[in-house]
Amino acid sequence: MSFSSLGLPTYLLKALAAQNYTEPYPIQEQAIPAILKKKDVLGIAQTGSGKTASYVLPILSNLQDKVLSKNRHVDVLVLVPTRELAVQVQEVFHSFSLSLPEKIKSFAVYGGVSINPQMMALQGVHVLVATPGRLIELLESNAVKLSAIDTLVLDEADKMLDLGFKEEVNKILALLPKKRQNLLFSATLNADVNNITQLVLHDPLVIKIEEEKENIDLITQTAYAVDDAGKGPLLRHLIKSKEMKQVLVFTSSTYKADHVADKLRKHGLNAQAIHSKKSQGARTEALKQFKAGTITVLVATDLISRGIDIKFLPFVINYELPRSPKDYIHRIGRTGRAESPGEAISFIAPEDEHHFKIIQKKIGKTVPLMDINSILGKE
Ligand code: AMP
């Protein structure tokens, strides 16, 4: 199957080739033709499946055939749960927009940063990517109008509802024109998501991409029994001995993330921390530099464990274990994505051993627990 058989226009095919997208992923094969035909779509798929391009490409193509909205009216609204996802989705719109004959302006709005620059920038936007809370604030100040919306995307709908955005989403839905195309993506299909799909979607094409298990199968998982004092030296040893050029390290607190990044920098490694106490600007910049390979080690809390896409991330390290097996899967799912193999390494303190057994049981895999003395002794 090739992209050219899906009905996309030549300029997008060229943009795809330029971005090294050689073949469509399964979700793209199914979603692109349906969205081009203006059908509603329900995509049960996770980050890593290629879901973003599966809606961005046909939406951009459809926009080329319509009279675009003006001033503070927007044509396409993409609702997302987090700022990071907002930035990431807008980047995909932007990167593919560059090749279009008819210029499309996309913009991301999210909370945690000053609202004024966003208000000013909303003039002339066609595709708005927004977190629900900030969108409501902008609507209340008349900075944006939704009455010309032609296509609505709810991305990571399950996460959006988990984060308590139900009321905001309902408020936004009430402001949209009745006649529109609706696309909803969710990693899981629980009762809450079901409610919203019934409310929003009309005779949708349902696409289900089984992923979590397959993803995990691609990942080599290992664990080291190590006490707190040994974690720093072990981390440095692994980075050096495995010649890691890009590694995402997870801690469970913002304090620890800063501490681990500081320590690594003192040892001459290019490391940065990313967590909720950092400013939005610092977070965006750290992610950008990490993606570009300027930062070798990104130390993060669970804030970014979901929804953030980093192409071909080869290593994830759990410096501290997450509490839930679900978070463990989401963390290690940052690697071994998009069909590239990855390695996930967990540091297991004596008090974590029992909890780690529970995680292994939940994911249905046994992860070998190695002794660090043997490897550190060899250094
Ligand atoms: P997503 O699930 O949308 O977060 O996409 C996961 C990753 O796969 C992103 O880095 C995309 O750039 C990449 N990607 C998506 N579709 C393709 C494709 N057909 N070929 C190569 N890379 C892709």
Side-chain angles (χ1 to χ4, degrees):
M1 176 74 75
S2 70
F3 275 110
S4 57
S5 61
L6 301 180
L8 289 168
T10 322
Y11 44 82
L12 283 175
L13 296 178
K14 281 192 189 143
L16 280 163
Q19 294 198 34
N20 289 326
Y21 283 38
T22 44
E23 263 179 61
Y25 289 166
I27 191 163
Q28 295 162 355
E29 270 179 34
Q30 297 180 62
I32 291 173
I35 300 174
L36 285 173
K37 284 189 201 113
K38 304 291 279 171
K39 248 192 106 56
D40 281 9
V41 167
L42 168 62
I44 305 299
Q46 327 200 314
T47 303
S49 57
K51 67 179 167 63
T52 318
S54 83
Y55 65 80
V56 169
L57 293 163
I59 284 178
L60 287 175
S61 172
N62 287 345
L63 281 176
Q64 296 298 295
D65 302 330
K66 99 177 255 273
V67 180
L68 295 172
S69 64
K70 290 208 168 57
N71 301 325
R72 292 190 174 270
H73 285 278
V74 286
D75 301 279
V76 176
L77 174 64
V78 185
L79 286 180
V80 294
T82 62
R83 313 161 186 194
E84 280 76 15
L85 189 61
V87 170
Q88 187 183 306
V89 168
Q90 191 273 333
E91 276 172 4
V92 179
F93 269 106
H94 179 71
S95 70
F96 286 112
S97 297
L98 298 172
S99 67
L100 302 176
E102 181 86 42
K103 288 297 156 231
I104 297 292
K105 187 172 164 193
S106 56
F107 191 65
V109 296
Y110 38 80
V113 292
S114 158
I115 197 168
N116 286 343
Q118 295 182 351
M119 282 175 155
M120 309 223 271
L122 277 168
Q123 177 73 23
V125 167
H126 308 111
V127 177
L128 180 63
V129 187
T131 54
R134 174 51 57 97
L135 177 60
I136 298 228
E137 289 177 84
L138 289 161
L139 286 164
E140 281 166 356
S141 38
N142 275 327
V144 63
K145 295 193 166 52
L146 303 183
S147 54
I149 291 288
D150 180 68
T151 307
L152 169 74
V153 184
L154 297 177
D155 200 350
E156 297 200 358
D158 49 349
K159 178 89 185 280
M160 203 132 53
L161 299 171
D162 278 355
L163 289 176
F165 282 131
K166 193 168 169 181
E167 214 175 288
E168 283 89 347
V169 171
N170 282 332
K171 221 166 163 176
I172 294 164
L173 290 178
L175 296 172
L176 302 177
K178 292 251 163 348
K179 197 174 164 307
R180 54 168 204 263
Q181 182 177 29
N182 300 288
L183 313 170
L184 191 146
F185 295 85
S186 182
T188 50
L189 197 56
N190 55 32
D192 278 345
V193 178
N194 249 329
N195 277 344
I196 199 142
T197 57
Q198 277 167 19
L199 194 73
V200 169
L201 300 171
H202 300 285
D203 185 26
L205 170 73
V206 181
I207 304 168
K208 196 161 193 272
I209 305 291
E210 300 286 351
E211 262 249 299
E212 231 155 59
K213 278 261 176 231
E214 281 169 26
N215 252 346
I216 283 201
D217 289 340
L218 283 175
I219 303 165
T220 308
Q221 297 182 62
T222 46
Y224 291 97
V226 55
D227 60 15
D228 235 25
K231 285 185 177 182
L234 175 62
L235 178 60
R236 295 194 298 276
H237 171 83
L238 289 172
I239 293 171
K240 212 167 108 193
S241 64
K242 290 183 179 278
E243 297 177 359
M244 295 181 184
K245 299 277 181 291
Q246 205 185 29
V247 50
L248 184 57
V249 176
F250 282 105
T251 62
S252 41
S253 69
T254 56
Y255 163 77
K256 197 71 174 187
D258 284 334
H259 179 75
V260 171
D262 281 350
K263 262 273 165 64
L264 288 171
R265 278 199 301 272
K266 283 199 183 107
H267 280 86
L269 283 150
N270 208 339
Q272 284 294 333
I274 180 171
H275 52 65
S276 55
K277 294 210 174 106
K278 295 260 175 191
S279 73
Q280 182 55 35
R283 282 153 66 173
T284 311
E285 187 55 31
L287 256 177
K288 199 169 124 197
Q289 289 195 24
F290 185 58
K291 281 188 183 186
T294 336
I295 292 174
T296 315
V297 192
L298 192 65
V299 189
T301 57
D302 283 304
L303 166 82
I304 68 150
S305 81
R306 197 169 154 173
I308 286 304
D309 153 60
I310 297 162
K311 239 182 203 168
F312 310 127
L313 183 57
F315 296 102
V316 166
I317 294 181
N318 286 315
Y319 194 92
E320 291 169 309
L321 271 188
R323 252 165 291 149
S324 83
K326 209 168 140 196
D327 283 341
Y328 177 86
I329 293 171
H330 287 142
R331 282 185 182 187
I332 72 168
R334 301 311 87 203
T335 178
R337 307 168 64 218
E339 291 153 20
S340 69
E343 189 170 344
I345 303 167
S346 298
F347 291 2
I348 310 297
E351 63 273 19
D352 295 329
E353 282 188 23
H354 174 68
H355 182 49
F356 193 52
K357 285 204 178 102
I358 298 176
I359 290 181
Q360 292 174 67
K361 211 167 154 195
K362 282 269 161 61
I363 61 171
K365 276 197 182 277
T366 312
V367 182
L369 187 61
M370 291 180 284
D371 179 7
I372 62 156
N373 293 322
S374 56
I375 63 156
L376 287 184
K378 278 187 208 153
E379 202 179 13

